[in-house]
Amino acid sequence: EVSLGRMLLQLTRLEEAPLMEELRRTRKEVMASLAAASMESYQRAYPFLVRLHVCREIEQSFPLLFRHKTDTVKPLDVDWEQRLRIVSPSVTVRQLIVQVHRVLYDSFSQSERVLPSCLELAKHARKAGHHQVAECTLHQLRTLLEEQPPAAAAACAVDASHIQTELAMLRWQQGEQYAALHELRTLLGQEKGTGRLMKQQLLECLWVEKTGQEPSHRVVQRYQSVVKARPDWERAHVALGRYMDMVLQQLKACRVSDGSVSLRAAYEVDDEPGDTQHVDYLSKVVRCYGTALQHGHKYIFQTLPRMLTLWFEEGKLIKESRPSKARKAAIGRELTRVNQLMLGFKDSLPVYQWLTCFPQLVSRIGSCSETIYEILEQIICKVLFEYHQQAFWGITAATKSSISLRKRRATAIVAKAQVELGPKQGADLKAAGEVCNFFLEICNYKVTKETKLHLRSHRELRKYLKVSGQVLMPTQRALTAVPGPGQSTLKHNPFPSSSPYIKSYEDKLEIMASLQKPKKITVVGDDGNSYPFLLKPKDDLRKDARLQEFNMVVNMLLSKNQDCRRRKLSIRTYGVVPLDETCGIIEWVENTTSYRTAITRLSQRSPNLYPDGLMSGHEVRKEWLDDTKTHQEKFARLCERHPPILYRWFAEQFPDPSTWYKARLLFTQSAAVMSMVGHIVGLGDRHGENILLENNTGSVVHIDLNCLFWKGLTFEWPERVPFRLTPHMVDAFGVTAYEGAFRQVCELSLALLRNNRDTLLCVLEPLVFDPLVEASGKDGSNAERWTREKLSSISSLLQGQVGGVTPISVAGHVQKLIEDSTSVNNLGFMYVGWTPWL
């Protein structure tokens, strides 16, 4: 800091020789410290890189200042702005750089150029919770703006409205809600009638809604005024639709004991007798969401699934209210309006947008009315026509459904699309069906003691080896539609152009040793690469597929959250394609080691810790089933015989200190994120073979995800823990155990899941209308009710209701989960094969 002060002073005095000497000496000192810090980690070295960053910019500015070429500052300004954009979001780092920029621009007599950087610093500080830094920066910014000449102030990218808006947002974040609204309304009053500041007007609507200052019809009018002023703004349509959707849900909850809607709820919204505007809310909400999708796809995972849910469920709420004849006619008109809207959106929305919710569309094939099915069929056919290679893998399981109506409709849709595609592409669709049949034959092929199988030596399998058309490789990357940046466009290609197609199959199949005897097949692509898959029989993979979609949406939400993005939080996902209700294909996760295998191998190479190696299965069972000891004593005994050793896997796999630290941190963070997701969806059966460690990164990968919705509680030995947090895992987290990064990431992840409850529930909704085998009775009548109960439990958890009616905080929720997962009273009662001591 002293050296920096000297350099800035010498710069303003135009002392060239002393400045260059000070720069040389400072760089030499910084480089010595950087060399030592870089041996530990990038994070440890980063502050020294920032100092070099500052030195470079001081050096760049001196020649221009010395030669009085201050009119050539613009290229330098662009360079500094680009450099600042990629700097760490840390407030301390950015504050130093912006302060230096301010001194340098003052030297050029162009202090207005630092205004955008100062405003960005204030935003970063506010979002990071550094309220004092944010407020000081805003006051300095306001003073600096007032000091500018009128011409310079008019040309600035920042004006008083930006500063006042940011100050209002700071007040809101500090909990001063009415002061925030006062700041915002003062600003809007100054700009009344100009048509500017639409973002501020929308912000006022949101704050009025949250503070409950006005009745709902007034809030709707506020939102509508913003939409009218900016009809092409996606966010405004989303905000209006979301609010009206909330009002609609409040009407749904407004019941009397006999199940009918009360007269006050039906006719007196907002204390206005006779007001029946809420009857039209359904079509208005659908119109808002659909219009938002026409203008962008930033909120596609919030709007499109919800719009489809409202459409499919249309009329249920109001029909149950036993309406009068007059209202029945109004309801009929409302349902007709919604269907007409959906017909319009079928043509106006880009097809790839429908593809992002394709499982939800397919799940409703067998459960919607004829009127809705006519439109739904057109949408699915349109998707199949445009993206037949990808969409076929999403509908193939429905064509083999045990529910006759569902099977008949799905088969008819595929046949219709095949005709519309024409001979060549229709042949590709037929070839994809043959590939699915081939995979099903292998899944159901009965084996006894074989560990390998050769395709060409079996006549019934050999006939499928020749692929007669172009069939897309069913990898997750090839099947996942990715909306492009910016506005919605009909020409966007949501899939990678380099997606491989199936060319042939390797002759040898590996047969896994587990009970269902899944087979590993290697498919050769037309790009020359080999793609391994697991063909799994006797297992309903629709749950696995839905959870992978759930995890991908969680990844999207993590990437949009600043704190999560800074930590690079994510879940490792892979492709899962159900072929029918009991078989499916899973993308093989390569370069991994199972959790149990890692510990077993380490114990064999560690005679000091394990002089006798791991206890054999017979010894463990004998100890665990010993009725003369308590469960706590047996657990303690096995923990003593198996001291923590997983930490050595990281030391062996990542010998370099910086990569070791990064891998261990990634292990901790990925375990935390998946623990929270697993808890919310009731994921069980997390034994040592279902948790993998990535050999290249150290992160956790969860496989075999079919034990959902708290199925573990129904086992002979009920699973008492919400997720795996055993002694070996906790020890591998490092010296802070679960009190450091693990707890922090758990709280971040759980807060994120809570804040996006509706979006996440929409992803799981297809399970309700695509009934699971385990949920169905012999007649399949209880499937929907069973799944709805499970989704209701998930919804309660996402509202913080844990074992009670009153919600608890995120921190309290995480604390309870950690206590339950590490409790000896819970771990001591787990099934012996779960190995709770490892």
Side-chain angles (χ1 to χ4, degrees):
E1 285 73 15
V2 174
S3 298
L4 178 60
R6 284 200 201 101
M7 287 187 288
L8 292 174
L9 184 61
Q10 291 158 356
L11 178 76
T12 55
R13 292 176 177 176
L14 298 179
E15 298 173 351
E16 183 175 11
L19 174 61
M20 294 304 153
E21 178 60 25
E22 189 67 33
L23 276 168
R24 185 194 63 78
R25 189 182 61 81
T26 301
R27 279 176 170 153
K28 185 177 179 181
E29 291 177 357
V30 172
M31 287 301 296
S33 302
L34 177 62
S38 63
M39 298 297 292
E40 299 180 25
S41 68
Y42 180 72
Q43 289 85 354
R44 179 77 176 83
Y46 197 80
F48 301 104
L49 293 174
V50 173
R51 294 176 192 177
L52 293 176
H53 178 122
V54 170
C55 289
R56 171 60 179 160
E57 292 181 350
I58 292 174
E59 186 179 40
Q60 282 181 308
S61 64
F62 182 78
L64 299 180
L65 189 62
F66 186 72
R67 300 185 183 98
H68 303 286
K69 294 184 177 181
T70 56
D71 56 334
T72 60
V73 171
K74 190 171 182 180
L76 201 62
D77 189 25
V78 173
D79 180 42
W80 289 358
E81 184 180 348
Q82 291 175 345
R83 285 159 61 89
L84 185 60
R85 195 177 296 127
I86 60 175
V87 161
S88 165
S90 166
V91 174
T92 305
V93 170
R94 287 177 175 265
Q95 189 177 16
L96 172 63
I97 296 174
V98 171
Q99 286 173 344
V100 171
H101 284 182
R102 183 174 178 183
V103 175
L104 297 178
Y105 282 125
D106 278 342
S107 302
F108 291 130
S109 300
Q110 297 187 25
S111 56
E112 71 277 4
R113 290 185 178 274
V114 81
L115 294 176
S117 300
C118 287
L119 185 62
E120 283 300 313
L121 173 62
K123 288 180 181 179
H124 279 285
R126 172 178 58 81
K127 291 177 180 179
H130 296 267
H131 295 158
Q132 188 173 2
V133 174
E135 188 153 6
C136 289
T137 304
L138 287 171
H139 285 306
Q140 292 172 5
L141 195 57
R142 179 174 285 172
T143 303
L144 194 60
L145 186 63
E146 290 171 352
E147 293 173 352
Q148 301 301 315
C156 281
V158 176
D159 59 24
S161 67
H162 294 100
I163 300 172
Q164 195 163 347
T165 302
E166 187 59 32
L167 188 60
M169 295 176 75
L170 177 62
R171 293 282 178 263
W172 182 271
Q173 193 164 317
Q174 289 173 325
E176 302 174 19
Q177 297 177 340
Y178 291 100
L181 271 169
H182 176 73
E183 287 277 356
L184 201 58
R185 283 171 171 167
T186 302
L187 172 62
L188 292 171
Q190 297 169 356
E191 298 287 341
K192 189 174 182 181
T194 63
R196 294 177 66 240
L197 306 181
M198 285 296 103
K199 290 184 179 180
Q200 287 83 348
Q201 287 188 35
L202 182 59
L203 189 60
E204 183 192 19
C205 295
L206 292 168
W207 288 355
V208 168
E209 174 195 335
K210 289 181 179 179
T211 54
Q213 291 186 354
E214 297 181 1
S216 61
H217 71 279
R218 294 274 182 82
V219 178
V220 169
Q221 289 171 1
R222 283 182 174 275
Y223 279 120
Q224 287 174 335
S225 66
V226 178
V227 169
K228 185 177 180 180
R230 283 280 302 276
D232 60 342
W233 191 15
E234 178 193 10
R235 186 181 173 193
H237 289 286
V238 172
L240 174 59
R242 180 197 52 78
Y243 182 73
M244 297 183 77
D245 193 359
M246 183 188 70
V247 174
L248 191 62
Q249 299 315 304
Q250 289 175 348
L251 293 173
K252 181 178 179 180
C254 194
R255 305 279 182 177
V256 291
S257 58
D258 64 356
S260 62
V261 178
S262 67
L263 289 175
R264 182 174 182 79
Y267 293 102
E268 296 184 14
V269 177
D270 301 327
D271 298 323
E272 295 185 20
D275 177 20
T276 58
Q277 184 183 12
H278 67 282
V279 177
D280 302 327
Y281 272 18
L282 179 62
S283 62
K284 289 182 178 179
V285 173
V286 170
R287 180 182 288 107
C288 286
Y289 286 155
T291 307
L293 289 165
Q294 289 176 332
H295 296 296
H297 41 238
K298 183 178 180 180
Y299 304 95
I300 187 171
F301 293 104
Q302 289 91 336
T303 53
L304 185 54
R306 183 60 186 160
M307 182 177 77
L308 291 174
T309 297
L310 291 171
W311 177 43
F312 291 134
E313 292 290 298
E314 71 174 26
K316 272 192 175 182
L317 166 65
I318 313 176
K319 283 181 179 179
E320 290 172 0
S321 64
R322 303 167 189 172
S324 62
K325 289 183 178 180
R327 286 187 54 77
K328 190 173 183 180
I331 292 169
R333 290 192 297 270
E334 176 71 357
L335 302 186
T336 302
R337 280 196 293 268
V338 173
N339 287 334
Q340 289 173 344
L341 283 170
M342 294 306 298
L343 270 172
F345 292 139
K346 171 185 72 72
D347 297 322
S348 61
L349 294 183
V351 181
Y352 67 83
Q353 289 190 348
W354 297 110
L355 197 55
T356 60
C357 288
F358 198 63
Q360 189 176 2
L361 294 171
V362 173
S363 70
R364 296 285 189 149
I365 286 177
S367 60
C368 61
S369 65
E370 286 291 341
T371 306
I372 292 179
Y373 175 70
E374 289 177 4
I375 306 171
L376 177 61
E377 181 187 34
Q378 294 179 46
I379 295 174
I380 296 177
C381 282
K382 190 171 184 178
V383 175
L384 267 170
F385 181 80
E386 191 75 21
Y387 301 106
H388 63 281
Q389 291 283 1
Q390 293 83 4
F392 178 79
W393 291 106
I395 199 173
T396 182
T399 63
K400 299 174 178 63
S401 174
S402 60
I403 301 173
S404 58
L405 177 62
R406 177 179 173 80
K407 180 178 180 179
R408 186 173 67 253
R409 284 180 170 178
T411 304
I413 289 174
V414 173
K416 185 176 180 180
Q418 195 169 336
V419 172
E420 291 178 356
L421 283 168
K424 186 179 182 303
Q425 292 180 324
D428 292 340
L429 211 58
K430 183 179 179 182
E434 292 172 355
V435 170
C436 287
N437 292 333
F438 174 48
F439 288 158
L440 281 171
E441 287 281 349
I442 296 176
C443 282
N444 296 319
Y445 189 85
K446 292 183 179 180
V447 295
T448 52
K449 297 181 179 180
E450 301 100 314
T451 58
K452 295 179 182 178
L453 189 67
H454 293 276
L455 296 174
R456 290 178 176 83
S457 62
H458 291 77
R459 186 175 60 183
E460 57 270 34
L461 299 178
R462 195 190 312 153
K463 62 182 179 180
Y464 292 105
L465 293 180
K466 184 178 179 182
V467 183
S468 58
Q470 273 199 328
V471 180
L472 188 70
M473 191 75 67
T475 61
Q476 185 185 57
R477 181 172 179 268
L479 298 180
T480 304
V482 180
Q487 300 295 311
S488 295
T489 171
L490 297 172
K491 297 180 180 180
H492 171 65
N493 180 14
F495 298 103
S497 57
S498 58
S499 298
Y501 292 86
I502 296 175
K503 182 180 179 181
S504 61
Y505 310 95
E506 290 189 4
D507 181 51
K508 186 175 71 173
L509 288 177
E510 293 183 39
I511 300 172
M512 304 293 108
S514 58
L515 181 64
Q516 288 86 4
K517 300 292 183 183
K519 294 92 177 175
K520 180 184 178 183
I521 184 173
T522 302
V523 185
V524 181
D526 61 353
D527 58 356
N529 295 323
S530 297
Y531 298 87
F533 293 91
L534 187 70
L535 298 173
K536 196 170 184 181
K538 302 176 184 177
D539 200 355
D540 191 353
L541 293 185
R542 286 174 292 177
K543 285 187 297 182
D544 295 66
R546 294 297 85 77
L547 188 55
Q548 289 300 327
E549 292 164 11
F550 186 90
N551 289 344
M552 284 191 286
V553 173
V554 171
N555 281 340
M556 179 270 297
L557 297 173
L558 289 170
S559 68
K560 291 185 177 181
N561 181 278
Q562 182 180 350
D563 291 327
C564 298
R565 186 172 61 250
R566 179 164 54 85
R567 291 173 171 83
K568 299 180 180 178
L569 302 183
S570 66
I571 301 171
R572 171 69 186 273
T573 57
Y574 49 88
V576 178
V577 179
L579 299 174
D580 62 13
E581 293 173 349
T582 58
C583 299
I585 180 170
I586 302 173
E587 189 176 358
W588 190 266
V589 183
E590 297 189 281
N591 295 320
T592 56
T593 303
S594 75
Y595 178 86
R596 182 180 176 86
T597 299
I599 293 176
T600 302
R601 290 175 180 172
L602 288 167
S603 66
Q604 294 169 350
R605 299 196 300 268
S606 306
N608 293 334
L609 278 176
Y610 288 81
D612 301 320
L614 284 177
M615 293 175 67
S616 67
H618 175 73
E619 291 176 305
V620 167
R621 285 182 176 276
K622 183 178 179 181
E623 179 72 33
W624 199 248
L625 299 176
D626 185 359
D627 293 334
T628 63
K629 300 177 183 177
T630 66
H631 289 277
Q632 292 82 355
E633 289 173 342
K634 290 183 284 187
F635 178 73
R637 167 64 178 158
L638 287 171
C639 286
E640 183 182 347
R641 282 290 306 272
H642 302 86
I645 198 174
L646 184 61
Y647 69 94
R648 292 195 178 185
W649 183 84
F650 293 93
E652 292 182 5
Q653 199 74 20
F654 308 97
D656 179 72
S658 60
T659 55
W660 164 83
Y661 177 78
K662 184 178 180 181
R664 195 189 67 176
L665 181 62
L666 194 55
F667 167 75
T668 306
Q669 293 176 337
S670 58
V673 174
M674 198 58 204
S675 294
M676 293 301 99
V677 171
H679 160 64
I680 291 297
V681 299
L683 178 63
D685 199 26
R686 297 299 89 198
H687 58 74
E689 297 297 334
N690 283 344
I691 298 178
L692 308 180
L693 305 176
E694 280 200 90
N695 296 330
N696 297 331
T697 64
S699 65
V700 170
V701 184
H702 284 252
I703 61 172
D704 200 0
L705 307 176
N706 65 343
C707 188
L708 285 179
F709 301 146
W710 302 276
K711 184 181 177 181
L713 294 174
T714 65
F715 291 168
E716 184 180 354
W717 288 68
E719 294 192 350
R720 298 186 171 206
V721 295
F723 46 79
R724 189 174 191 93
L725 195 59
T726 51
H728 283 249
M729 282 193 73
V730 174
D731 181 76
F733 292 161
V735 66
T736 58
Y738 50 71
E739 294 298 343
F742 183 82
R743 183 185 291 273
Q744 292 174 356
V745 174
C746 281
E747 292 180 0
L748 277 175
S749 304
L750 186 58
L752 185 82
L753 296 174
R754 282 196 188 189
N755 292 336
N756 294 274
R757 179 174 65 94
D758 292 339
T759 301
L760 298 174
L761 287 174
C762 285
V763 178
L764 295 175
E765 185 193 75
L767 293 176
V768 176
F769 301 97
D770 188 2
L772 302 174
V773 172
E774 67 182 74
S776 303
K778 290 183 179 179
D779 58 356
S781 59
N782 67 336
E784 181 177 333
R785 179 175 57 83
W786 181 89
T787 317
R788 280 194 181 278
E789 289 174 359
K790 302 305 177 185
L791 292 184
S792 176
S793 299
I794 292 174
S795 179
S796 298
L797 287 177
L798 289 171
Q799 296 178 73
Q801 296 174 351
V802 184
V805 178
T806 305
I808 62 176
S809 67
V810 170
H813 196 163
V814 170
Q815 176 62 26
K816 185 179 188 308
L817 293 175
I818 291 176
E819 288 176 356
D820 290 346
S821 298
T822 56
S823 168
V824 174
N825 293 329
N826 289 337
L827 292 171
F829 283 87
M830 293 294 290
Y831 176 59
V832 63
W834 201 83
T835 58
W837 54 89
L838 293 183

